Amino acid sequence: MPISRALLVAPLVLCLLALGSTSLPSEPHLTPASSYLPRLVVEGRAPAAAFLARHNTPGHSGLYDSEGTGIRVADRFRAGSITKSFVATVVLQLAAEGALRLDDSVEEHLPGVVRGHGNSGALITLRALLTHTSGLYDYTAALPAADPALTGVAGPSAQPLSPAAAVRTAVAHPPAAARGSYAYSSTNYVLLGMVVQRVTGHTYGTEIRRRIIVPLRLTGTSLPGARTTLPLPHSRAYHRAGDGTLRDVTSLDPRVGGAAGELVSTLDDLDHFYAALLGGRLLAPAQLSALLDTRAAGGSYGMGIHSQKLSCGTTVWGHRGRITGSYVRSAATRDGRHVFTFRVNTDTPPARSLETALLEAEFCARRLF
């Protein structure tokens, strides 16, 4: 399988201050994390894999590496549930402005929307939505999949849902978990997108653009709405069917993900977003503390952000994103000074042990460059 490896060297000021996608020169180089890219392709049966790491410390530069064919550093791709980190940031900004309170009930903002089959918006707070402790059924589990392997993930032929229809799908089922216990559900973030619109008068996409994308100059990031094609440049996206064949699913209607998974982005933009978020550039200290408070979820999830403690003692923060044709994972140190995003151009995620090994190679291995 062809291998492409590139070291992206940028001035330190780009690591510290650059806010948008950058075009960087390249030359061959290897890192500890690079050795895991072939395994992502072979064991994960992905056509291609790539990562981009940023080191916001003196003497370190940005590093891009890829394996297989069909992925370039500037490519746009669907980022799936990483959308949740963006939505949570907007909600916390609105809380800081006094436009809403995290302990407001869903019923206060969306009267009558969550009701029936044991569900009650009057008993669910915005905080519970943010931390996935509402107990609400995940609407994506009820969507028709194009292939049995896509259980829980919207298939390319799935009909687009409006936010209200997605919530109706969820509340047609009893709660999937007891209120107060952690149970990941995309329904929570669809509701948060609806709350943002009710509070601001603008869609969550408009608020994300105004509050995050434009200020950070994330020129490769967008909320496509009904647009089924990816902006240029982009690589192809594939789903491996049950018979093992790859199907091109580059074009799809992302509205089925909505505020829970609509985002399109780039490796560079996601690195910059998490660096800015964890570095305190998007949230005031009180809201950043709330974002990183994992107690409600038993230590694994804050508000739109995962935490994972690695074997070397380092805890990384970020999110996974999975949608038809794409899997991506972003992780960063608590201060946002070291950020790492990898992706494969298929929706089959790598084994969790392989993903952890890749993160440990990046964040725990001794730096040789």
Side-chain angles (χ1 to χ4, degrees):
M1 177 119 8
I3 298 176
S4 169
R5 305 208 180 278
L7 174 65
L8 302 183
V9 181
L12 178 60
V13 67
L14 288 180
C15 295
L16 293 170
L17 300 175
L19 301 175
S21 297
T22 55
S23 242
L24 303 174
S26 60
E27 61 184 58
H29 195 77
L30 295 176
T31 74
S34 296
S35 63
Y36 286 89
L37 285 176
R39 291 182 59 187
L40 287 176
V41 172
V42 175
E43 296 177 26
R45 298 196 302 166
F51 70 73
L52 181 62
R54 291 282 181 182
H55 306 278
N56 205 4
T57 54
H60 285 159
S61 59
L63 181 74
Y64 170 74
D65 206 351
S66 67
E67 176 83 13
T69 57
I71 289 182
R72 297 155 298 185
V73 65
D75 281 345
R76 275 71 169 164
F77 55 86
R78 303 189 193 280
S81 285
I82 284 179
T83 311
K84 294 178 174 72
S85 293
F86 285 71
V87 171
T89 300
V90 169
V91 172
L92 287 165
Q93 288 181 351
L94 290 170
E97 295 162 11
L100 54 77
R101 295 175 303 129
L102 299 187
D103 292 321
D104 288 347
S105 71
V106 173
E107 183 71 13
E108 289 177 65
H109 295 284
L110 304 171
V113 171
V114 178
R115 187 176 297 173
H117 297 91
N119 301 287
S120 174
L123 301 177
I124 298 172
T125 65
L126 304 186
R127 187 185 302 275
L129 298 181
L130 286 161
T131 58
H132 292 294
T133 55
S134 70
L136 290 169
Y137 179 86
D138 190 339
Y139 77 95
T140 67
L143 296 178
D147 185 276
L150 286 175
T151 301
V153 181
S157 62
Q159 292 299 309
L161 290 177
S162 68
V167 174
R168 285 196 299 270
T169 298
V171 299
H173 296 78
R179 281 191 305 275
S181 62
Y182 175 72
Y184 189 92
S185 172
S186 288
T187 306
N188 295 315
Y189 277 76
V190 170
L191 283 165
L192 287 168
M194 295 169 70
V195 169
V196 168
Q197 183 160 355
R198 183 63 62 91
V199 168
T200 66
H202 306 126
T203 66
Y204 67 86
T206 296
E207 290 297 317
I208 287 173
R209 282 188 288 270
R210 183 173 75 85
R211 294 168 176 271
I212 301 174
I213 294 175
V214 172
L216 296 185
R217 301 178 191 172
L218 304 180
T219 56
T221 301
S222 61
L223 285 301
R227 176 176 173 168
T228 60
T229 57
L230 286 169
L232 294 173
H234 67 79
S235 54
R236 311 306 296 175
Y238 299 97
H239 165 63
R240 190 175 295 279
D243 61 4
T245 60
L246 286 174
R247 183 168 65 247
D248 190 313
V249 291
T250 306
S251 294
L252 61 84
D253 193 321
R255 286 176 293 180
V256 73
E262 176 191 349
L263 194 77
V264 168
S265 194
T266 66
L267 294 170
D268 196 33
D269 277 8
L270 292 181
D271 277 0
H272 278 104
F273 166 70
Y274 282 106
L277 177 62
L278 293 164
R281 296 184 52 204
L282 293 172
L283 295 174
Q287 281 68 46
L288 182 56
S289 178
L291 178 94
L292 300 174
D293 187 346
T294 63
R295 289 174 295 179
S300 63
Y301 200 88
M303 294 184 176
I305 195 165
H306 285 285
S307 67
Q308 182 178 352
K309 187 172 184 178
L310 304 178
S311 63
C312 58
T314 296
T315 296
V316 292
W317 300 83
H319 215 287
R320 298 177 181 90
R322 183 186 179 202
I323 193 169
T324 305
S326 179
Y327 180 80
V328 57
R329 171 75 188 274
S330 287
T333 52
R334 167 60 186 83
D335 58 7
R337 295 176 66 83
H338 182 178
V339 193
F340 179 80
T341 298
F342 81 87
R343 62 172 291 230
V344 294
N345 58 348
T346 181
D347 43 54
T348 304
R352 192 59 58 88
S353 58
L354 176 55
E355 182 172 307
T356 296
L358 175 60
L359 295 180
E360 294 197 339
E362 175 62 28
F363 289 96
C364 298
R366 181 180 177 184
R367 293 277 140 202
L368 299 176
F369 58 95

